[in-house]
Amino acid sequence: MTGLDLLIRARRALTAAGEVARCIGVSEGRVVAIEPYESGLTAERTVDLGDDVVLLPGLVDTHVHVNEPGRTEWEGFASATRAAAAGGVTTILDMPLNSIPPTVDVASLAVKRKAAEGQLWIDVGFWGGAIPGNLGELRRLHDAGVFGFKCFLLHSGVPEFPHLSPADLEVYLQVLRSFGALTIVHAENDAAIERAPSPHGGKYAAFLRSRPRGAENVAVAQVIEAARWTGARVHVLHLSSSDAIPMIRSARRDGVPISAETCPHYLVFTSEEVPDGSTQYKCCPPIREADNRELLWHALAEGVVDCVVSDHSPCTPELKRLDTGDFGVAWGGISGLQVGLPAVWTEARRRGHGLDDVVRWMAERPAALAGLLRKGQIALGYDADFAVLAPDDAFVVDPATLYHKNPITPYAGRALAGVVRATYLRGVETTDDTRRGRLLTRGGA
Ligand SMILES: [Zn+2]
């Protein structure tokens, strides 16, 4: 074969055939050849990878809050995508809230696309939002290329993104089903949270009591039944309560079109270990007990939970209230986009999982969820998006080395296995200068 722009000779490449020695040929940003390692292919540029690294597909993170415009001091397109690239992530989908305006109509989507232009190290797509009053906008947003619609079933944390009632949810699902759109749900029940003890002070145990598993369980049950009745495709965001897993399992067995994700922080940390006053661990739903964490791992292994995505949702240090350590008033959201891969790999390996599992959870399944047809795998015709990981190297997370706009993260000081040595976006290695990311639309990538 001639005309290859790039040839990666990898002693260890993770393809559909598992971890194998392969020559990966790239032309015009796509994988066009996957040949035996000794095949003798040539290209304009050849990269030889040693046996200490594995060539992975670039990760696909479908749950990122970029916050620009409007709350750009929390995070922004440049810092988020640079951090993602450094962490082996080559595609993110931006959540519709925390930026101002939220992505709830075509005009606000245009504002976000414009804000993102020229700032992207990796490819970025957008979720739309489903809020009271925008039912009539959904079809237009869908046609404008959002990947699906996010809704909340309780207060979202920001006033410009109100939540749907369970009755609203059914109405919205009926409409979204009519054009085949995916609905992604923050599943905590409003009434259950209202009636739980209010969070206050620095005790993590008190915060945990304010966001009980029951609030998630009730909401997941409501989402399942609404999907069952309407036939709409739904996805449970950031599953934390392992109690909800049997419900999701049985719904799937019944043919209800439901999927679920969890996040690195629920798979890494436990409530028993969160120091009081350490609001960098605050997120909603919360990090729960060690036994809960193990059940989430089982659900991943079984395939009842499909994806692991970051829910990267940072803010400024002031809003984390580290000075008082008050869980009641601190912003809820965990910053971890850049370290998701090593965080999950460290814990996965300890439980006997391989990199193929990690790639399924963090690249292949998220890409499938979003309908990203050329992402999430090293395969012919796919985008040449890669992460080069040294799985046996270790490092200690130093916030000064993170590209996140704000340095507050619960991963600070944590020893992790797996160092991302390089990231490629459409056949070009990312560096400080490579702002080659594109804006993605549903069905177009
Ligand atoms: Zn989120």
Side-chain angles (χ1 to χ4, degrees), residues 63 65 150 238 311:
H63 194 151
H65 296 266
K150 180 180 196 180
H238 45 50
D311 193 7

Side-chain angles (χ1 to χ4, degrees), residues 263-269 280-281 287 308-310 312 334-344 347 395-399 402 404 407-416:
C263 308
H265 38 275
Y266 303 125
L267 298 168
V268 171
F269 303 117
Q280 63 270 36
Y281 292 85
I287 292 162
V308 180
V309 291
S310 70
H312 179 67
I334 288 199
S335 175
L337 178 57
Q338 191 174 329
V339 295
L341 173 56
V344 172
E347 296 294 319
F395 69 108
V396 173
V397 178
D398 173 0
L402 301 178
H404 306 157
I408 310 298
T409 173
Y411 293 99
R414 195 154 182 109
L416 298 177

Side-chain angles (χ1 to χ4, degrees), residues 363-376:
E364 197 178 325
R365 291 269 177 83
L369 171 76
L372 288 158
L373 305 173
R374 295 197 303 271
K375 304 287 191 185

Side-chain angles (χ1 to χ4, degrees), residues 32-118:
V32 296
I34 302 178
E35 300 287 332
Y37 184 74
E38 303 294 351
S39 66
L41 287 180
T42 57
E44 211 163 288
R45 179 165 180 254
T46 298
V47 174
D48 267 293
L49 300 180
D51 56 12
D52 59 332
V53 294
V54 184
L55 185 71
L56 310 178
L59 302 191
V60 175
D61 190 340
T62 52
H63 194 151
V64 177
H65 296 266
V66 174
N67 304 323
E68 181 173 3
R71 291 191 178 89
T72 308
E73 67 278 16
W74 294 12
E75 192 64 283
F77 285 105
S79 48
T81 60
R82 183 70 187 96
V89 178
T90 49
T91 305
I92 62 171
L93 295 192
D94 176 47
M95 279 295 164
L97 74 160
N98 300 349
S99 55
I100 303 172
T103 318
V104 293
D105 52 33
V106 171
S108 53
L109 176 64
V111 169
K112 292 190 85 164
R113 283 188 170 147
K114 190 152 180 39
E117 250 167 44

Side-chain angles (χ1 to χ4, degrees), residues 222-242:
Q222 286 170 329
V223 171
I224 288 171
E225 297 316 315
R228 193 193 306 273
W229 296 328
T230 60
R233 201 156 59 92
V234 297
H235 176 74
V236 176
L237 298 163
H238 45 50
L239 182 73
S240 165
S241 169
S242 60

